[in-house]
Amino acid sequence: MDSVPVEATNERIRDAFQLLANETRLEILFALWNAPEWTATFTELKDAVGMRDSGQFQYHLNQLAGTFIRRTDDGYTHLASGIALYRAMLGSVAGTESIDSIPLDEFCPDCENRLRLTYENQVFFARCSACDETVLSSPFLPAGLDNRIDDERLWAFDRWTRRLVGNLRDGVCPWCASRVNHELSVEDSTESSAESEGGSNVRIVHTCNRCGGFLKTTVGENVIDHPAVISFFYDRGKDITSIPHWKLDFCTSDEGVELISEEPVEIRLTIREAGDELRLLFGDDCSVTEISRAEPRDSTHK
Ligand SMILES: [Zn+2]
Ligand SMILES: [Zn+2]
């Protein structure tokens, strides 16, 4: 697999940013972002920017072409990079920066006090209100907080996080679309978390080879959308696709996680519901290699 050396990548990024350090070129991008379907003719753009010299204007268009915009039969349109840039800025610069923490119905696995969701530096943390233990954390763009009340923010955060984890686990970076590495991270568990069977916190860390984006996930989070897990709960009267991930024990704790071997990776996750068990074995690349499902007690089919 070809990979571009870091220096060359940085050089290209520097060049792209340099293109933006010009009033006219920024105005062209704004005009295109505001145009229907991100497409406009030469004249429409020139009028929007208010530049009289056609030669000069063409020069700036040519500068942007290939990096942020492209020429079409009847004008110009944004490339994916031009749209991504706009969305990144819109999602992060132009949103709500801080909100009051949101109380959750769930309890701290360590001291059994109530959890609350706080928003700091564009990351959501579910933390214990008493001992400050962090149960989960995940990035969320400030724009997602706008025009939503707390319940809607919780819903949006759940959907957003599921998508992030799903993409990362599937090996496609949700931020830059590049390849993703999966690694095991094993830490000694803190004082009183007697629930974890191996006495350690087992996490799967997904890291993008290219943009450096990463997310540390519990073992359970990685199978929240696995058909065997969804159907296991569904057969027992629970639709986990509509339950926020922090309300699902197998997603937030190490309960049921058993580290059999670090090298090669072998982890067993036992999910329990209504007296039945579903066992998932994780192997190579931290992915599911084996599933054994207890038949529903009232099931008549195989
Ligand atoms: Zn606590
Ligand atoms: Zn990436």
Side-chain angles (χ1 to χ4, degrees), residues 64-284:
L64 290 171
T67 303
F68 294 110
I69 67 175
R70 74 179 171 87
R71 211 183 165 139
T72 66
D73 285 345
D74 26 47
Y76 292 85
T77 190
H78 267 299
L79 284 169
S81 51
I83 297 166
L85 178 72
Y86 180 64
R87 287 182 174 150
M89 290 300 110
L90 194 76
S92 56
V93 176
T96 302
E97 278 303 316
S98 68
I99 55 166
D100 291 336
S101 65
I102 306 171
L104 299 174
D105 296 332
E106 288 63 46
F107 296 93
C108 170
D110 280 3
C111 75
E112 298 188 350
N113 278 286
R114 286 278 286 275
L115 295 178
R116 61 191 159 80
L117 203 65
T118 61
Y119 188 68
E120 298 156 27
N121 301 317
Q122 307 186 345
V123 177
F124 263 124
F125 296 89
R127 286 214 181 98
C128 174
S129 47
C131 76
D132 225 33
E133 165 84 4
T134 301
V135 175
L136 64 89
S137 65
S138 188
F140 190 71
L141 291 176
L145 302 171
D146 289 353
N147 303 315
R148 286 191 171 117
I149 57 168
D150 282 356
D151 279 355
E152 295 166 339
R153 286 169 175 161
L154 291 177
W155 173 255
F157 172 57
D158 174 59
R159 297 294 114 175
W160 183 262
T161 306
R162 283 170 180 251
R163 188 188 61 91
L164 277 190
V165 174
N167 274 5
L168 287 163
R169 176 213 51 213
D170 291 344
V172 183
C173 176
W175 300 291
C176 79
S178 299
R179 290 172 70 88
V180 175
N181 270 350
H182 320 284
E183 272 181 339
L184 208 58
S185 156
V186 183
E187 292 158 14
D188 288 337
S189 62
T190 48
E191 321 86 44
S192 52
S193 51
E195 285 157 37
S196 78
E197 288 172 10
S200 32
N201 293 325
V202 180
R203 297 287 177 270
I204 296 173
V205 184
H206 303 287
T207 310
C208 173
N209 289 338
R210 187 137 197 190
C211 75
F214 72 96
L215 201 65
K216 200 185 245 193
T217 58
T218 61
V219 177
E221 269 183 282
N222 290 275
V223 293
I224 192 170
D225 59 353
H226 195 292
V229 176
I230 293 174
S231 57
F232 173 72
F233 280 98
Y234 196 73
D235 285 346
R236 284 152 190 83
K238 216 181 217 183
D239 176 9
I240 63 162
T241 62
S242 62
I243 299 173
H245 63 284
W246 55 86
K247 286 182 187 279
L248 300 166
D249 287 346
F250 74 91
C251 279
T252 55
S253 76
D254 279 273
E255 200 186 331
V257 175
E258 202 183 325
L259 180 64
I260 300 164
S261 156
E262 274 189 63
E263 191 66 55
V265 173
E266 218 183 330
I267 313 163
R268 185 185 293 121
L269 171 65
T270 305
I271 299 176
R272 300 180 178 95
E273 180 68 15
D276 296 321
E277 286 185 357
L278 176 70
R279 290 197 180 140
L280 298 108
L281 204 65
F282 293 71
D284 230 13

Side-chain angles (χ1 to χ4, degrees), residues 11-70:
E11 196 54 40
R12 283 194 209 170
I13 294 173
R14 207 170 283 127
D15 289 347
F17 277 128
Q18 219 131 51
L19 284 176
L20 302 176
N22 176 284
E23 194 74 22
T24 305
R25 293 197 282 267
L26 269 185
E27 287 305 322
I28 292 172
L29 293 178
F30 273 112
L32 264 185
W33 283 322
N34 292 319
E37 294 179 29
W38 295 314
T39 302
T41 64
F42 178 87
T43 312
E44 284 167 342
L45 284 174
K46 190 162 155 291
D47 289 349
V49 172
M51 193 174 228
R52 293 171 69 175
D53 185 331
S54 291
Q56 268 290 315
F57 193 65
Q58 186 66 62
Y59 164 79
H60 288 298
L61 282 171
N62 291 346
Q63 290 280 297
L64 290 171
T67 303
F68 294 110
I69 67 175
R70 74 179 171 87

